[in-house]
Amino acid sequence: DEFISSPPRKTVRFGGTLTEILLKYEKGDTTDFELLKHQLSDPDIKDAQIINWLHEFRASVAYLTKELGQLVNILLKLPWLRRSREVVEEYLGFLGNLVSAQTVHLRPCLQMIVAQFVPPRITIREDDVDISDSDDDDENISANFDTCHRALQTVARYVPSTPQFLMPILVEFFPFINKSERTLECYVHNLLRVTVYLPTLRLQILELIIEKLLKLDVSTPQQDIEDAEETANNCASEEKSTEEGLFDMEEDEDRKGNKVVAPNIERMAHPLAERLDILMTILFSYIRDVCHVDGKLDISNTKDLYRDLVSVFDKLILPTHASCHVQYFMFYICSFKLGLAEAFLDHLWKKLQDPNNPSVIRQTAGSYIGSFLARAKFIPIVTVKACLDLLVNWLHKYIDNQDKGANAYCDVALHGPFYSTCQAVFYTLIFRHKQLLDGNLRKGLSYLQSLNFERIVMCQLNPLKICIPSVVNLFAAITRKYQLVFCYTIIERNNRQFIPVVRSGTGGDLVQTCTNPLDSFFPFDPYILKRSKKTIDPLYQFWEELSAEDLEDLKKPIKKGTSEDEDDDFLKGETPQNDGVVEIAPHSYESNTQSPVSSIGSPADCYVPYPL
């Protein structure tokens, strides 16, 4: 009785029920159908109207065939996200019904959801002129993203093949790198959220994100970032001094003080570096959250993510020359557990020694090994020694194989991996020699002598001629101090071969000899992005600039009697002192080996006196 006496549901529309309208449309009567589309497209449509329509559409999804794609597109454009909870729930129910009954509409549904992964744009108009076009700072944006992910999970639950249709859409909708920081931040954050409930897409999504980060990274050389920071700091200082000079009185200071725009401590001056910094911070947070459950490291999760990241590293990072920051995702995940760091070193070692790999990949793997051993504070000295043993033994075997061959001469094209490995060993020794000798000097020296650096340095392949001069200089100074090998005779001979030549017929232009024939770089040179470096700095071994006392100390050999081999003529002989100085001038390698302006960098070119 109550049902009979209750009034019918109020519907503000025309043309009868939805089923009737669709049946008329099939018969060629389009009047009510056009009216229906008009009502659904009304920007002032009320919540109650949306709920009523969606309720009927849910019961009539069988009619929504491919021919009615235009009507479905109008439904997918309904402003459902920023409506009441009732509208949202009804819409989610409609999406589930639609994709389960008509999978032909799966792609448009996924496109509609992914399009909501970025904040909407709002345009502020003044006198018919657009004066602003910026991201909407809606306080409900986080809740809207949550709802989008609910919608995506609903669709995936009804259509198991969702992941294979979704991935191309995620690629298609990725914002251009010149979009706002907020847009990129939201999109990348939402992509990473998708990996939580669609784990089969994780590897592909990580590849997509890291590929975009890599493009940002190589578009912003470290020198450009440092120059932008220096310029911003200088401008801020000039503005501040100008303001203080012009407005000395208190009232003027109060009035004008706010005009001085000091550089934001957290913000990067270079616009692309700012985007990269934000996105790297998100990536580091994601790695930390996946690997830790309730604050404790989850070994299973960590291993799975490590495998995915190594796969991305091999595919994207290793073949890319001179990226500055993106590769630090491997540095970070390896810091969680020593086993991961050792696995990464082993992975790089296999790349380096495999003759089937391209020479450039083997050389890059050598650069990564040296930089990782030198810079990763979390790698213990016992692991460093194990890696040095592997690398040095490989070098000696390489020399054995070449000494009797026709290619036993200095040539980067023939022996690139050999030179890269030599540089990795020299670089590691520069950073780690104090730890190798710490505690028991006699034992430490005995270990370093067992590596037989003299044979490597003196071999016909002449690695000191090819490696970066700044590394060679410090290696020579350290090995001379501990009387492991005397490099300066070879360095001087190599320097005499580096005499500049004059190009004929072009006005006598000076031709500089290439000082970085390996075209090598140190992949874990200082990380300079302000926000995300907070994650890296506690794990990072900074280079301690050599003081005058340190340089003096490097000139002095260690006291006789500290070595077990007391009869060695080289160790017993006194080293003559001379005021001659090695001066290797920085050239094309400067940005990779000099200390950056804003942070402590790689070993700079040092000038250590040596006997002539």
Side-chain angles (χ1 to χ4, degrees):
D1 292 343
E2 184 180 346
F3 173 76
I4 293 172
S5 61
S6 63
R9 177 180 297 189
K10 184 179 179 181
T11 55
V12 184
R13 64 182 189 201
F14 309 94
T17 65
L18 177 64
T19 305
E20 292 170 354
I21 295 172
L22 296 179
L23 287 173
K24 285 181 183 179
Y25 177 75
E26 286 181 4
K27 295 175 182 178
D29 184 354
T30 62
T31 306
D32 290 344
F33 184 77
E34 293 300 324
L35 190 59
L36 169 64
K37 291 198 299 183
H38 178 74
Q39 289 184 27
L40 290 172
S41 303
D42 184 0
D44 297 322
I45 191 170
K46 303 292 188 292
D47 285 7
Q49 292 174 289
I50 294 177
I51 291 171
N52 286 342
W53 279 121
L54 289 176
H55 187 75
E56 288 201 45
F57 273 108
R58 289 181 67 179
S60 307
V61 287
Y63 294 97
L64 299 179
T65 56
K66 185 179 180 180
E67 288 71 27
L68 291 178
Q70 188 181 14
L71 178 61
V72 171
N73 286 335
I74 292 173
L75 288 167
L76 294 178
K77 290 177 183 175
L78 281 172
W80 62 282
L81 259 181
R82 289 157 186 80
R83 297 283 179 156
S84 64
R85 188 177 62 83
E86 291 78 10
V87 172
V88 169
E89 295 302 325
E90 192 69 34
Y91 198 87
L92 291 176
F94 163 70
L95 279 180
N97 288 11
L98 178 64
V99 295
S100 59
Q102 304 285 352
T103 52
V104 69
H105 299 305
L106 174 62
R107 195 167 188 277
C109 288
L110 294 175
Q111 288 175 323
M112 179 273 296
I113 296 169
V114 173
Q116 306 291 339
F117 278 3
V118 295
R121 305 291 286 176
I122 54 170
T123 302
I124 301 173
R125 296 177 66 84
E126 190 173 280
D127 298 329
D128 294 328
V129 177
D130 294 345
I131 62 169
S132 174
D133 181 22
S134 60
D135 295 326
D136 185 3
D137 291 328
D138 183 1
E139 60 183 18
N140 296 320
I141 194 166
S142 181
N144 291 339
F145 289 152
D146 290 343
T147 306
C148 287
H149 289 288
R150 277 187 62 200
L152 198 50
Q153 291 176 72
T154 299
V155 172
R157 189 165 61 247
Y158 285 109
V159 185
S161 60
T162 293
Q164 70 188 66
F165 288 92
L166 177 62
M167 196 60 220
I169 293 169
L170 296 179
V171 174
E172 177 190 347
F173 278 75
F174 203 106
F176 293 112
I177 59 173
N178 61 349
K179 292 291 184 182
S180 72
E181 296 99 339
R182 182 66 173 154
T183 296
L184 288 163
E185 177 185 11
C186 290
Y187 194 79
V188 169
H189 186 270
N190 283 314
L191 284 191
L192 291 172
R193 282 188 67 177
V194 171
T195 67
V196 176
Y197 53 86
L198 293 178
T200 57
L201 287 182
R202 183 167 74 181
L203 177 57
Q204 295 176 70
I205 287 176
L206 286 172
E207 274 186 18
L208 171 62
I209 292 171
I210 290 170
E211 181 187 9
K212 300 296 183 181
L213 291 180
L214 207 50
K215 287 180 180 177
L216 271 175
D217 201 6
V218 297
S219 301
T220 51
Q222 193 160 324
Q223 193 61 49
D224 289 0
I225 297 174
E226 290 165 356
D227 291 347
E229 290 296 319
E230 187 176 6
T231 302
N233 288 332
N234 290 341
C235 289
S237 300
E238 288 173 11
E239 283 187 36
K240 187 174 181 181
S241 61
T242 303
E243 289 289 349
E244 287 174 352
L246 290 175
F247 306 107
D248 291 331
M249 293 187 297
E250 287 185 13
E251 60 268 27
D252 285 332
E253 285 182 355
D254 291 338
R255 183 164 53 88
K256 299 288 185 180
N258 291 332
K259 288 191 176 182
V260 180
V261 182
N264 191 321
I265 296 174
E266 290 287 323
R267 189 172 180 84
M268 300 297 297
H270 195 295
L272 293 183
E274 171 68 7
R275 289 165 173 78
L276 183 61
D277 192 11
I278 291 170
L279 299 184
M280 287 301 295
T281 303
I282 294 172
L283 183 59
F284 288 153
S285 298
Y286 172 78
I287 292 172
R288 183 188 63 241
D289 292 346
V290 168
C291 295
H292 293 81
V293 177
D294 298 327
K296 294 182 180 179
L297 186 69
D298 185 294
I299 301 300
S300 178
N301 289 354
T302 305
K303 284 182 178 178
D304 289 343
L305 181 59
Y306 169 82
R307 290 189 193 99
D308 284 347
L309 290 177
V310 164
S311 176
V312 177
F313 176 85
D314 285 349
K315 184 175 180 179
L316 298 176
I317 304 294
L318 206 53
T320 302
H321 180 68
S323 58
C324 298
H325 300 97
V326 179
Q327 59 265 27
Y328 270 88
F329 67 80
M330 286 306 306
F331 190 95
Y332 183 50
I333 193 170
C334 286
S335 71
F336 294 161
K337 193 170 178 63
L338 178 58
L340 296 176
E342 291 176 342
F344 183 51
L345 285 165
D346 183 60
H347 180 76
L348 292 169
W349 163 241
K350 288 173 180 173
K351 294 274 184 191
L352 170 62
Q353 65 170 345
D354 185 357
N356 295 317
N357 283 328
S359 180
V360 66
I361 295 295
R362 297 174 69 191
Q363 288 175 224
T364 307
S367 297
Y368 270 93
I369 291 174
S371 198
F372 192 56
L373 288 174
R375 295 295 196 172
K377 197 185 287 187
F378 48 84
I379 296 181
I381 200 65
V382 64
T383 303
V384 174
K385 288 174 71 173
C387 290
L388 282 177
D389 288 339
L390 276 175
L391 296 170
V392 171
N393 286 338
W394 184 82
L395 289 174
H396 284 301
K397 287 179 182 176
Y398 193 95
I399 293 169
D400 290 340
N401 293 333
Q402 295 298 326
D403 268 353
K404 299 174 184 177
N407 296 327
Y409 56 89
C410 184
D411 190 330
V412 176
L414 287 175
H415 309 295
F418 171 82
Y419 295 122
S420 182
T421 306
C422 286
Q423 186 161 280
V425 170
F426 299 164
Y427 192 69
T428 302
L429 185 73
I430 289 168
F431 273 85
R432 297 284 195 159
H433 70 277
K434 290 182 180 177
Q435 290 173 274
L436 287 166
L437 296 168
D438 195 27
N440 188 331
L441 183 60
R442 180 184 293 270
K443 191 175 179 182
L445 277 176
S446 178
Y447 169 73
L448 290 178
Q449 287 166 354
S450 73
L451 298 177
N452 196 0
F453 286 127
E454 184 174 9
R455 182 171 185 252
I456 296 170
V457 166
M458 301 287 185
C459 76
Q460 295 180 59
L461 302 182
N462 195 358
L464 296 186
K465 184 177 181 180
I466 301 300
C467 294
I468 290 176
S470 57
V471 174
V472 170
N473 275 353
L474 279 170
F475 173 76
I478 291 165
T479 52
R480 173 178 173 272
K481 172 181 172 59
Y482 295 106
Q483 301 194 15
L484 298 168
V485 59
F486 193 76
C487 301
Y488 291 112
T489 306
I490 300 169
I491 293 174
E492 182 63 21
R493 186 182 68 206
N494 291 337
N495 287 344
R496 284 197 294 269
Q497 295 173 2
F498 279 144
I499 298 172
V501 296
V502 176
R503 189 186 295 120
S504 60
T506 56
D509 293 336
L510 194 66
V511 177
Q512 296 290 345
T513 306
C514 178
T515 54
N516 185 7
L518 265 179
D519 197 23
S520 56
F521 71 109
F522 302 108
F524 295 118
D525 253 4
Y527 191 99
I528 60 173
L529 302 178
K530 293 179 182 177
R531 292 181 189 83
S532 44
K533 80 190 296 284
K534 294 175 184 175
T535 301
I536 298 301
D537 281 0
L539 313 168
Y540 191 75
Q541 179 62 57
F542 288 92
W543 170 249
E544 297 174 5
E545 298 287 4
L546 295 176
S547 62
E549 292 78 9
D550 293 330
L551 289 172
E552 282 296 320
D553 192 42
L554 281 177
K555 299 175 194 175
K556 302 172 185 174
I558 57 168
K559 294 179 181 179
K560 291 183 285 183
T562 54
S563 173
E564 293 175 350
D565 189 358
E566 293 294 334
D567 297 325
D568 193 308
D569 291 336
F570 175 73
L571 291 177
K572 290 176 71 175
E574 290 193 6
T575 308
Q577 295 296 313
N578 196 298
D579 292 330
V581 175
V582 179
E583 296 193 5
I584 308 294
H587 291 292
S588 61
Y589 63 90
E590 185 177 12
S591 62
N592 284 327
T593 60
Q594 294 283 336
S595 300
V597 174
S598 58
S599 60
I600 302 174
S602 292
D605 297 315
C606 71
Y607 308 97
V608 182
Y610 72 102
L612 292 172

